[in-house]
């Protein structure tokens, strides 16, 4: 009964419908066997996105009705009633008495009447003649010379149906006739409206668009084409409710349908269809005139809402400003950043609305007092807990920039949107609130929390997917932004000439592509294993198009990367399911410092915190800030410095530990019994001493000169102002090696006068003194327990990483390359 596809309709009179028809691709219409006269979408049986496969049972020609188990409903319930045997064996056993559904033409050649039963395949009249008059088997009946075709009874009057009537005294096909009789038994029925709104008979793999207005038909076809192009899996059961709802509501366009009625998945399909239709022909020029922008027109995602700016001139001026600044936006947070700035202007708008009699509508009446009122309102919102101090400062900066930009764009000139805006309606430098203390640094996670997280990664994989788990591991190992890690391409590994691994990634935020990050062997192996998994899943997709972390939905070819939001949601659910995090924390009990295990706030554990932890980890290891800046891929060193710090409590604890093992020039231990230092003592370490190559000097004149006024010519181990501690042990050992190496070179190779040689020669006493000092420090370390030694080692790392570089103090006999390494 289905005719050959007719791919070209008559030219629609409605311009919008004509635009939609023109956007439909012939290849897509052919894929769904579309015929403009028949108006039934037929889903293919073997498409990766349009999901309507055949039932796998041998001899069954029905479409599978369940995702994951390719069985039609009849075979599924038969399999379930049989005790759910192994599917491989079940599908190989054809069902002998399979009663099918659907409709077909009578088996008599040329007879258009529908058969009554699949087992006989004869219409009711021919079946009666075969059984009651001719009394012949089916094969002989079909060959009998007196058996011929009968005229059709005409089409079913239900507008959604393409079947024929079943008899001369009925107006409908068998299914719709049965439905009408059931309704009539329940009460009066408006039969004319029922004909227009009743749904089609559900046939596997088919969606009837008959009885719908032409515009709605083209909207559904175009929406399905867009959804297919995006790789979203769609079955007939997703589209059929949308068509039925449009038919029941008798709407002229899908845009008139409310987001209610169909099931959850069908509702998502409806919304996607509506968005696709709305975005057809979308341009920046048309979108900029609206109060809510669809950022698809600008190459972005989401929307920008200007409606909270109630004064029309201010709203239109803000829209002009946004239109001019949007091309300069970068990164994944474009929409969020832009909306945040619009919301800042909206708070200015609300201040004017609340504090002016004219509500701020008269632009020429605005002035300095309105700015003062706005600043006071920001302060009130901070004190009321409605906004943070950081938001107060941020809003003031944004509003200042926007007001200035309005003027540079010429919006205050005669005939423009803000004509007459007074010059004193502006924020000055002195109006800016004080910056709150930087809150970026210190977002790193304690080592105890990181250890617990790494131990529980298996639970993350169980609750989400392997891709999410590996993505989080890459975040931890590399410190990349979540979007950078999630969108890694398949081919993201290279080797440097020395054989070490390098991660190739794109810095989307700064639009810097092909960035290179040195990584360790374990991280490289993690990525290589993920590459193998991806390649096995998508063996035919070109490597250049594959994503390292393919999205789980709407991604038949593995080219769509994992959404960072998917990782964040899975990560949050995982963290909330984990046991409480506890970390050792120093508290004071009865005036004495005591370490207790206290809970850690799980709200501080989020994917971006791993980037802070990466920066802090490398800073603690003594990585130079310039190197760390390159590792973080920041343009400015000041940006990198906001990602890490040696927090006061860590530095104080470290100073306490190393100062408890401080020595004078004779190797005598100083402050052996010190349990804690006052803040004044810690500060004195910074202002009352200066660095020397292997300790500190407390001689006042040398301290004042920054270490460049030493009368002892740097023979520190013979000076009473010299102090050293366990953190300088590597420097002392290096210095001893320098002394020995210099003495050997002067003895064996240098051609110099005796007086010059004797002056340059390190003295035996100095060598003995340094050796004794090193031995005393090591003896004290050996006397400590293993736990105390580990604590000292960690404290030394903290102190050395925060130690300022001392310039102007020469190392004896070091080659230039070793000097740079030191």
């Amino acid at each position: 009964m289905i005719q050959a596809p007719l791919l070209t309709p008559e030219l629609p009179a409605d311009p919008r419908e004509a635009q939609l028809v023109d956007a439909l691709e012939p290849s897509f219409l052919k894929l769904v066997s579309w015929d403009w006269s028949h108006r039934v979408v037929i889903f293919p049986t073997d498409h990766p996105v349009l999901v309507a496969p055949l039932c796998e049972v041998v001899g069954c020609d029905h479409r599978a009705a369940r995702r994951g188990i390719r069985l039609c409903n009849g075979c599924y319930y038969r399999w379930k009633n049989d005790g759910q045997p192994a599917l491989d064996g079940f599908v190989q056993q054809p069902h002998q008495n399979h009663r099918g559904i659907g409709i077909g033409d009578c088996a008599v050649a040329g007879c258009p009447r529908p058969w009554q039963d699949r087992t006989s395949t004869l219409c009711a009249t021919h079946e009666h003649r075969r059984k009651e008059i001719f009394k012949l088997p089916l094969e002989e009946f079909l060959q009998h010379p007196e058996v011929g075709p009968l005229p059709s009874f005409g089409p079913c009057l239900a507008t959604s149906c393409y079947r024929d009537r079943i008899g001369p005294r009925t107006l409908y096909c068998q299914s719709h006739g049965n439905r009408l009789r059931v309704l009539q038994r329940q009460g009066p029925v408006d039969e004319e409206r029922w004909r227009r709104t009743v749904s089609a008979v559900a046939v596997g793999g088919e969606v009837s668009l008959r009885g719908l207005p032409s515009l709605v038909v083209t909207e559904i076809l175009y929406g399905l084409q867009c959804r297919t192009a995006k790789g979203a899996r769609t079955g007939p059961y997703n589209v059929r409710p949308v068509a039925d709802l449009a038919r029941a509501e008798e709407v002229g366009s899908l845009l008139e349908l409310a987001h209610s009625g169909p099931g959850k998945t069908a509702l998502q399909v409806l919304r996607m269809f509506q968005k696709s239709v709305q975005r057809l022909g979308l341009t920046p020029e048309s979108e900029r005139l609206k109060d809510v922008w669809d950022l698809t027109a600008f190459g972005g995602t989401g929307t920008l809402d200007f409606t909270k700016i109630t004064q029309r001139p201010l709203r239109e001026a803000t829209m002009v400003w946004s239109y001019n600044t949007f091309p300069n936006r970068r990164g994944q947070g474009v929409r969020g950043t832009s909306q945040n700035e619009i919301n800042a202007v909206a708070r200015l708008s609300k201040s004017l609305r609340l504090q002016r009699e004219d509500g701020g509508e008269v632009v020429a009446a605005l002035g300095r007092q309105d700015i003062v009122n706005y600043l006071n309102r920001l302060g009130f919102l901070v004190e009321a807990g409605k906004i943070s101090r950081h938001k107060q400062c941020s809003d003031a900066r944004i509003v200042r920039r926007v007001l200035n930009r309005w003027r540079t764009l010429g919006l205050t000139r005669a005939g423009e949107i803000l004509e007459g805006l007074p010059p004193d309606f502006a924020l000055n430098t002195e109006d800016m609130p004080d910056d709150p203390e930087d809150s970026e640094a210190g977002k790193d996670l304690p080592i105890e929390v990181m250890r617990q997280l790494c131990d529980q990664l298996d639970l993350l994989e169980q609750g989400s997917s392997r891709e999410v788990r590996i993505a989080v591991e890459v975040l931890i190992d590399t410190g990349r932004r979540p979007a950078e890690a999630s969108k890694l391409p398949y081919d993201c590994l290279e080797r440097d000439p020395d054989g070490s691994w390098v991660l190739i990634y794109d810095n989307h935020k700064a639009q810097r592509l092909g960035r290179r990050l040195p990584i360790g062997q374990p991280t490289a192996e993690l990525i290589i294993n993920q590459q193998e998994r991806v390649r096995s899943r998508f063996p035919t997709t070109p490597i250049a198009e594959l994503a390292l972390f393919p999205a789980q939905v709407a991604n038949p070819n593995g080219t769509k990367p994992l959404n960072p939001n998917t990782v964040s949601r899975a990560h949050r659910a995982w963290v909330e399911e984990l046991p409480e995090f506890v970390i050792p924390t120093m508290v004071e009990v009865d005036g004495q410092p005591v370490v207790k295990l206290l809970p850690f706030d799980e709200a501080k554990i989020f994917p971006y915190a791993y980037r802070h932890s990466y920066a802090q980890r490398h800073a603690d290891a003594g990585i130079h800030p310039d190197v760390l800046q390159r590792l973080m891929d920041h343009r400015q060193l000041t940006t990198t410095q906001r990602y890490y710090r040696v927090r006061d409590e860590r530095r104080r604890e470290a100073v306490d530990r190393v100062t408890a093992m401080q020595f004078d020039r004779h190797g005598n231990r100083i402050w052996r019994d010190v349990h804690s230092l006052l803040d004044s003592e810690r500060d004195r370490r910074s202002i009352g001493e200066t660095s020397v190559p292997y300790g500190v000097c407390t001689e006042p004149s040398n301290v004042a000169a920054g270490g460049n006024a030493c009368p002892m010519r740097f023979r520190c181990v013979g000076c009473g102002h010299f102090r050293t501690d366990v953190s300088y042990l590597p420097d002392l050992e290096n210095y001893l090696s320098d002394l020995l190496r210099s003495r050997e070179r002067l003895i064996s190779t240098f051609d110099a006068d005796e007086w010059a040689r004797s002056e340059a020669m390190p003295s035996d006493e100095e060598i003995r003194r340094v050796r004794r000092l090193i031995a005393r420090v090591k003896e004290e370390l050996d006397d400590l327990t293993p736990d105390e030694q580990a604590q000292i080692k960690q404290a030394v790392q903290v102190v050395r990483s925060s130690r300022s570089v001392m310039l102007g103090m020469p190392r004896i006999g070091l080659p230039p390359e070793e000097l740079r390494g030191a």
Side-chain angles (χ1 to χ4, degrees):
M1 297 181 65
I2 297 176
Q3 303 172 5
L6 178 64
L7 302 183
T8 306
E10 296 181 2
L11 186 65
D14 184 349
R16 183 61 174 171
E17 183 183 347
Q19 186 182 26
L20 286 164
V21 170
D22 187 59
L24 290 172
E25 299 176 1
S27 59
F28 172 76
L29 296 179
K30 185 176 181 180
L31 177 66
V32 296
S33 303
W34 179 254
D35 182 335
W36 287 101
S37 61
H38 189 59
R39 299 203 171 195
V40 175
V41 175
I42 302 175
F43 281 64
T45 60
D46 56 354
H47 196 272
V49 173
L50 297 175
V51 187
L54 290 173
C55 177
E56 292 186 340
V57 174
V58 174
C60 182
D61 58 357
H62 293 169
R63 300 293 186 103
R66 297 175 180 273
R67 186 175 180 179
I69 300 180
R70 291 195 171 188
L71 299 177
C72 66
N73 277 330
C75 292
Y76 173 78
Y77 288 112
R78 183 165 58 88
W79 170 72
K80 188 174 181 181
N81 293 333
D82 289 347
Q84 299 184 359
L87 279 174
D88 292 342
F90 177 80
V91 298
Q92 299 300 324
Q93 300 175 3
H95 188 34
Q96 299 299 326
N97 299 318
H98 185 74
R99 182 180 181 275
I101 61 174
I103 200 70
D105 289 342
C106 178
V108 175
C111 182
R113 296 183 182 182
W115 45 251
Q116 194 173 29
D117 190 286
R118 178 185 287 264
T119 57
S120 69
T121 67
L122 294 175
C123 64
T125 304
H126 279 124
E127 180 66 10
H128 173 76
R129 291 182 180 181
R130 184 187 73 84
K131 287 184 177 181
E132 304 298 332
I133 299 175
F134 293 93
K135 300 180 180 181
L136 294 173
L138 178 61
E139 293 76 8
E140 295 180 18
F141 176 77
L142 295 176
Q143 301 299 325
H144 198 281
E146 297 182 15
V147 175
L150 300 172
S152 170
F153 294 122
C156 175
L157 292 188
T159 58
S160 63
C161 186
Y162 59 77
R163 298 181 176 183
D164 285 344
R165 306 178 196 177
I166 59 172
R169 291 184 295 276
T170 181
L171 302 177
Y172 307 100
C173 67
Q174 184 174 1
S175 295
H176 281 112
N178 291 338
R179 291 191 202 179
L180 180 60
R181 284 191 290 274
V182 170
L183 287 176
Q184 289 173 336
R185 283 196 290 267
Q186 296 173 357
V189 177
D190 182 350
E191 192 169 340
E192 286 295 328
R193 186 177 187 281
W194 178 84
R195 292 175 184 176
R196 299 193 307 269
T197 59
V198 66
S199 62
V201 178
V203 177
E206 294 184 9
V207 176
S208 173
L209 303 185
R210 297 168 69 90
L212 292 171
S214 296
L215 178 59
V216 176
V217 171
T218 53
E219 287 174 338
I220 291 177
L221 287 173
Y222 180 72
L224 184 59
Q225 175 180 290
C226 293
R227 184 173 170 87
T228 304
K230 291 182 178 180
R233 288 172 60 93
T234 312
Y237 40 80
N238 301 137
V239 182
R240 195 177 292 123
V242 176
D244 290 344
L245 181 63
R247 190 180 291 109
E249 297 290 336
E250 296 189 280
V251 296
S253 169
L254 282 185
L255 303 181
E256 300 175 18
L257 286 177
H259 292 165
S260 62
K264 180 179 179 182
T265 305
L267 180 59
Q268 293 174 348
V269 172
L270 172 60
R271 287 173 176 168
M272 192 169 184
F273 284 4
Q274 291 174 327
K275 287 182 180 179
S276 299
V277 170
Q278 289 172 329
R279 290 171 177 172
L280 178 63
L282 205 64
T283 65
E285 292 73 23
S286 62
E287 202 63 18
R288 65 177 297 191
L289 304 177
K290 302 175 183 178
D291 291 337
V292 179
W293 292 0
D294 187 334
L295 294 184
T296 306
F298 302 88
T301 58
T303 60
L304 283 185
D305 188 352
F306 297 86
T307 57
K308 291 183 179 179
I309 306 174
T310 55
Q311 298 81 8
R312 193 70 207 181
L314 299 188
R315 182 190 301 177
E316 292 182 358
T318 305
M319 292 163 66
V320 172
W321 166 77
S322 294
Y323 185 78
N324 280 269
T325 59
F326 203 82
N328 301 324
R329 306 289 185 181
R330 300 191 299 269
Q332 299 297 309
V334 169
R335 193 212 68 82
T337 301
S338 299
Q339 188 65 62
N340 180 59
E341 293 172 338
I342 294 168
N343 292 342
V345 181
R347 275 184 275 275
L348 170 64
S349 169
K350 186 173 184 179
S351 174
L352 297 176
R353 187 169 67 252
L354 293 175
Q355 303 187 69
R356 288 188 59 86
E357 292 184 2
D358 60 7
E361 297 288 348
V362 182
V363 172
L366 301 178
R368 175 63 188 175
Q369 187 58 46
D370 297 304
I371 294 296
V372 174
N373 293 341
Y374 164 68
L375 294 172
N376 286 331
R377 177 163 179 78
L378 286 183
F380 162 74
L381 293 175
V382 171
E383 294 301 324
K386 300 294 181 62
I387 63 174
S388 65
R389 293 198 178 275
H390 177 78
K391 174 62 72 175
Q392 176 192 23
C393 188
S394 172
D395 272 15
R397 285 199 186 99
I398 292 170
V399 170
R400 181 189 181 193
R401 185 168 68 250
V402 171
L403 293 180
N404 291 339
R405 187 62 173 151
W406 284 349
R407 292 179 169 89
T408 59
L409 289 172
L411 301 182
T412 59
R413 291 199 299 257
E416 295 294 337
I417 301 171
L418 299 176
E419 178 183 358
L421 183 69
D424 61 346
F425 187 70
L427 273 77
N428 304 315
T429 304
E430 59 270 19
D431 294 328
M432 294 296 102
D434 292 336
D435 284 325
E437 183 180 353
D438 176 51
S439 61
E440 284 296 315
K443 286 185 179 179
D444 63 295
L445 301 176
I447 186 63
E448 295 84 2
V449 173
M450 290 297 299
R451 186 178 295 114
Q452 294 178 62
L453 290 171
C454 292
D455 289 343
Q456 301 292 337
L457 284 170
D458 288 342
L459 294 179
L460 173 60
E461 181 175 348
Q462 295 173 13
S464 54
S465 67
R466 178 72 176 175
E467 279 69 26
V468 170
R469 182 241 173 92
I470 302 301
V472 170
E473 289 195 66
V474 170
L475 287 175
I476 294 173
D477 290 353
T478 66
R480 298 309 89 188
R481 300 179 181 90
E484 294 168 357
S486 300
K487 297 187 177 182
L488 283 172
Y490 175 92
D491 194 13
C492 63
L493 278 184
E494 286 187 7
R495 282 187 182 270
D496 274 343
D498 62 355
S500 58
W501 289 103
V502 177
L503 179 70
I504 310 298
Y505 70 99
D506 292 336
N507 183 343
H508 302 283
K509 183 176 182 180
Q511 291 187 338
R512 303 166 76 181
L513 307 181
R515 312 305 294 169
R516 300 175 65 86
L517 176 74
I519 60 174
Q521 181 68 26
T523 307
E525 291 177 356
L526 194 71
I527 294 174
I528 291 171
N529 291 336
Q530 176 63 14
Q531 287 175 328
E532 293 174 352
R533 292 184 69 255
V534 172
R535 196 57 185 159
S536 64
R537 286 179 56 196
F538 307 102
T540 60
T541 304
I543 287 179
E545 300 176 10
L546 273 177
L548 181 65
F549 303 115
Q552 297 297 307
V553 297
N555 192 26
N557 299 316
T559 58
K560 181 180 176 181
L562 201 61
N563 192 315
N565 293 332
T566 301
V567 178
S568 296
R569 287 192 295 267
H571 185 274
R572 172 50 49 198
W574 169 57
V575 170
E576 291 176 352
E577 290 295 324
L578 293 178
E580 185 178 57
F581 295 88
V582 291
I583 60 173
T585 306
M586 184 74 72
V587 297
E588 189 172 295
V589 177
D590 296 332
Q592 297 295 325
V594 178
V595 176
K596 286 191 174 183
L597 292 177
L598 298 180
F600 182 78
D601 184 6
E602 65 180 24
K604 297 180 180 180
I605 307 174
F606 48 89
Y608 211 92
Y610 297 133
R611 183 166 172 81
H612 290 268
S613 300
Y614 176 88
Q616 188 66 58
R617 186 166 68 243
H618 284 74
D620 289 346
I623 299 297
H624 194 275
D626 290 340
V627 178
L628 186 53
Q629 177 189 351
R630 292 195 296 273
L631 292 177
M632 300 292 287
D633 199 25
H634 289 146
R635 296 184 187 274
Q636 302 291 334
L637 179 60
T638 53
T639 304
T640 305
Q641 291 171 337
R642 291 201 297 267
Y643 275 78
Y644 71 93
R645 64 180 175 183
V646 178
R647 288 172 288 196
D648 292 341
E649 61 270 20
R650 290 181 63 192
R651 189 173 187 278
R652 289 182 179 186
E653 182 181 355
V655 168
D656 285 350
R657 293 185 188 280
V658 299
T659 306
M661 296 194 68
Q662 193 177 66
F663 302 84
D664 63 13
R665 69 184 188 279
H666 300 295
N668 297 321
R669 189 164 172 185
I670 306 171
W671 288 357
R672 178 186 298 272
D673 297 326
V674 169
H675 294 289
S676 62
L677 291 175
L678 297 175
D679 288 343
S680 59
E681 292 295 344
R682 296 188 183 93
D683 293 340
R684 190 175 296 116
R685 286 176 60 88
S686 300
I687 63 175
E689 59 190 32
T690 188
S691 296
V692 292
Y694 37 87
V696 294
C697 176
T698 60
E699 202 282 321
S701 61
N702 194 35
V703 172
N708 294 300
C710 177
M712 296 291 293
R713 299 176 64 187
F714 307 127
R715 298 291 192 239
C716 298
V717 292
C719 178
H721 297 285
F722 171 71
R723 298 287 187 273
T724 191
D725 59 48
V726 66
S727 67
Y728 286 99
L729 183 57
D731 303 288
L732 287 170
E733 291 175 330
N734 287 338
Y735 183 58
L736 177 61
S737 298
D738 295 343
L739 293 175
L740 296 174
R741 186 163 53 248
S742 296
R743 185 173 67 175
E744 292 300 324
R745 293 178 64 191
L746 288 170
I747 292 175
S748 60
T749 60
F750 273 76
D751 182 15
D753 293 338
E754 187 61 32
W755 66 269
R757 188 190 303 275
S758 62
E759 286 288 330
M761 182 74 70
S763 68
D764 292 340
E765 179 60 29
E766 183 176 13
I767 292 174
R768 283 194 298 270
R769 184 70 63 86
V770 174
R771 276 179 171 159
R772 185 168 64 246
L773 192 55
I774 292 172
R776 288 288 297 123
V777 174
K778 288 185 175 181
E779 287 174 4
E780 292 290 341
L781 281 175
D782 292 339
D783 289 340
L784 300 177
T785 65
D787 288 343
E788 290 173 333
Q789 290 179 359
Q791 293 173 357
I792 288 292
K793 182 178 180 181
Q794 185 176 7
V796 166
Q797 290 177 346
V798 173
V799 171
R800 289 181 68 84
S801 67
S802 61
R803 182 172 291 155
S804 59
V805 178
M806 188 278 304
L807 302 177
M809 300 290 289
R811 303 294 297 261
I812 300 175
L814 272 180
E817 61 273 10
E818 293 189 31
L819 182 60
R820 287 194 296 270

